[in-house]
Amino acid sequence: MTDALKRLSEEGVAIWLDDLSRKRITSGNLAELIDEQHVVGVTTNPSIFQKAISHGEGYEQQLTDLATRKVTVDEAIRMITTADVRDAADILRPVYDATDGQDGRVSIEVDPRLAHHTHATIAEAKQLAWLVDRPNTLIKIPATKAGLPAITEVIGKGISVNVTLIFSLERYREVMNAYLAGLEKAQAAGLDLSRIHSVASFFVSRVDSEIDKRLDAIGTDEAKALKGKAALANARLAYEAYEEVFSSDRWAALDKAQANKQRPLWASTGVKDPAYKDTLYVVDLVAPGTVNTMPEATLEATADHGQVTGNTVAGTYEQARAELDAVAKLGISYDDVVQLLEDEGVEKFEASWIDLLNSTEAELKRLAPSEG
């Protein structure tokens, strides 16, 4: 069952789980996935927490205590989510130690309502790092325009970051630049660069979902032949950009100071279209020095029937450019698609966060002790 996942790991792909819940922690399931399925990290987001807390088990006692203390709903959510991340980080600590801090990581996101507010994002990132208080945490900051200077500032303070919601190649280059600027700040402040880590979460399946929809609307044979190609092409060209930036003179100076590369992380790797193979965004994005964070269904599919054939990114850049050019020639604007996806990504996480606030507030009221 685990041969494909083992092979994936051997190809230099770190396997992370894109899910977390208290039940997954307390049942031993997370520890089992680490031991048996080569999982070496965990990512969370507002949608994952909304699902876990609203429908999950294991939160009632903490919610009762928080209700008794009459904390605000915002504080309650932060107490609950940071407790889960802290516990997951402790379970993954042996992996963190064994990989010298590269893996064994758990990500937690800043409040998505702050995505367009630089200073508030910085303050929230510092608060989350303090609250979780584990060296193997990554603070997730969205790659919005306002997020870029926040990334630099937070890295500059020695806090490790997972940059999320990256869709465009241009924005990805800006993210890498923000990371390098942060490392330079940290170096100027005398911080140990070897302890600072980062991943850049480049989203995959949503690109196909949006572009395929537009190709279907065009409806020609030429358009239909391009379905299911844009997301892989986009991600592969992102890896090309990564190779360029992390072989530059600017990087070489930081490398001498023991800085860590910001690894590309393939996110949104669950296939949305049932016509595509369910391991598409795993087996076709195999490249050294990457992370693939998978929902459990994708992890299981890869373990069961994933065909890992070695590096599937090297040598694809010319074809990837041709495929994106062919999409553009049909009148589909790349810039329009990636901006829409970024805007929608922020909006979806914000909506999930508000749902979580509302459902948690209802639980706090239900569990609040009667006066007297």
Side-chain angles (χ1 to χ4, degrees):
M1 275 289 283
T2 60
D3 282 356
L5 295 174
K6 183 171 185 283
R7 180 80 199 277
L8 198 60
S9 300
E10 288 168 351
E11 289 292 335
V13 180
I15 298 166
W16 291 9
L17 177 71
D18 194 26
D19 191 54
L20 187 64
S21 67
R22 191 155 296 178
K23 186 178 180 186
R24 197 182 280 288
I25 291 165
T26 57
S27 67
N29 173 261
L30 178 57
E32 191 177 285
L33 290 173
I34 295 163
D35 291 341
E36 298 176 10
Q37 301 284 56
H38 305 278
V39 168
V40 293
V42 167
T43 47
T44 69
N45 63 46
S47 299
I48 285 169
F49 276 129
Q50 192 270 331
K51 182 180 166 193
I53 296 166
S54 302
H55 310 292
E57 301 168 19
Y59 296 101
E60 184 120 341
Q61 185 56 60
Q62 189 178 11
L63 279 163
T64 301
D65 292 344
L66 292 165
T68 303
R69 288 175 49 215
K70 297 181 179 175
V71 303
T72 66
V73 65
D74 287 275
E75 186 184 349
I77 287 169
R78 276 311 180 207
M79 291 298 104
I80 292 165
T81 57
T82 54
D84 281 359
V85 168
R86 191 180 306 113
D87 288 344
D90 288 343
I91 293 168
L92 278 154
R93 183 60 190 261
V95 177
Y96 169 84
D97 292 336
T99 60
D100 198 26
Q102 181 163 262
D103 288 309
R105 295 273 174 179
V106 187
S107 299
I108 184 168
E109 192 139 354
V110 296
D111 185 332
R113 295 171 297 177
L114 306 178
H116 302 297
H117 305 281
T118 302
H119 296 298
T121 293
I122 295 164
E124 169 98 343
K126 287 158 61 181
Q127 170 76 355
L128 283 174
W130 177 83
L131 267 177
V132 177
D133 193 27
R134 293 295 183 272
N136 50 331
T137 313
L138 291 171
I139 307 303
K140 287 180 87 173
I141 296 175
T144 56
K145 276 291 184 190
L148 295 170
I151 293 157
T152 296
E153 197 64 30
V154 172
I155 290 288
K157 293 183 184 303
I159 297 169
S160 294
V161 171
N162 175 344
V163 183
T164 188
L165 291 174
I166 308 170
F167 296 94
S168 86
L169 296 166
E170 182 185 358
R171 183 57 54 84
Y172 179 41
R173 286 183 179 275
E174 291 174 335
V175 164
M176 289 188 282
N177 182 63
Y179 174 60
L180 297 183
L183 288 176
E184 288 158 353
K185 273 193 135 184
Q187 187 176 31
L191 299 181
D192 179 359
L193 299 193
S194 72
R195 308 318 303 161
I196 303 170
H197 287 260
S198 183
V199 294
S201 294
F202 199 89
F203 278 55
V204 186
S205 68
R206 293 186 197 181
V207 173
D208 270 344
S209 297
E210 183 59 34
I211 288 181
D212 283 359
K213 186 169 68 179
R214 298 182 188 208
L215 291 168
D216 278 335
I218 293 166
T220 62
D221 289 344
E222 187 186 6
K224 286 175 184 171
L226 287 167
K227 285 184 67 178
K229 294 189 173 173
L232 289 175
N234 199 38
R236 286 166 170 172
L237 292 175
Y239 192 80
E240 180 188 39
Y242 158 77
E243 288 183 311
E244 285 174 16
V245 169
F246 288 100
S247 59
S248 65
D249 291 343
R250 185 182 184 191
W251 168 249
L254 291 163
D255 189 37
K256 276 185 191 167
Q258 271 83 51
N260 297 292
K261 291 179 181 177
Q262 182 186 54
R263 288 183 294 171
L265 178 151
W266 309 129
S268 181
T269 56
V271 171
K272 306 283 195 288
D273 188 333
Y276 302 153
K277 64 184 179 187
D278 52 4
T279 60
L280 179 67
Y281 304 124
V282 178
V283 299
D284 286 355
L285 285 175
V286 177
T290 59
V291 179
N292 195 308
T293 188
M294 308 178 207
E296 191 165 22
T298 304
L299 183 75
E300 288 174 352
T302 305
D304 182 60
H305 53 264
Q307 298 292 312
V308 179
T309 57
N311 189 325
T312 48
V313 174
T316 64
Y317 305 145
E318 198 175 321
Q319 183 189 349
R321 260 187 286 279
E323 285 166 350
L324 288 187
D325 286 347
V327 169
K329 279 174 187 161
L330 291 175
I332 296 172
S333 165
Y334 177 86
D335 290 343
D336 179 59
V337 167
V338 293
Q339 189 59 56
L340 174 72
L341 290 171
E342 180 187 302
D343 293 344
E344 282 183 352
V346 172
E347 285 163 13
K348 282 174 184 171
F349 280 169
E350 193 172 324
S352 293
W353 196 253
I354 289 165
D355 284 349
L356 178 55
L357 284 168
N358 292 337
S359 58
T360 303
E361 188 166 39
E363 281 296 280
L364 290 171
K365 283 178 180 169
R366 182 179 72 80
L367 295 166
S370 52
E371 294 296 329

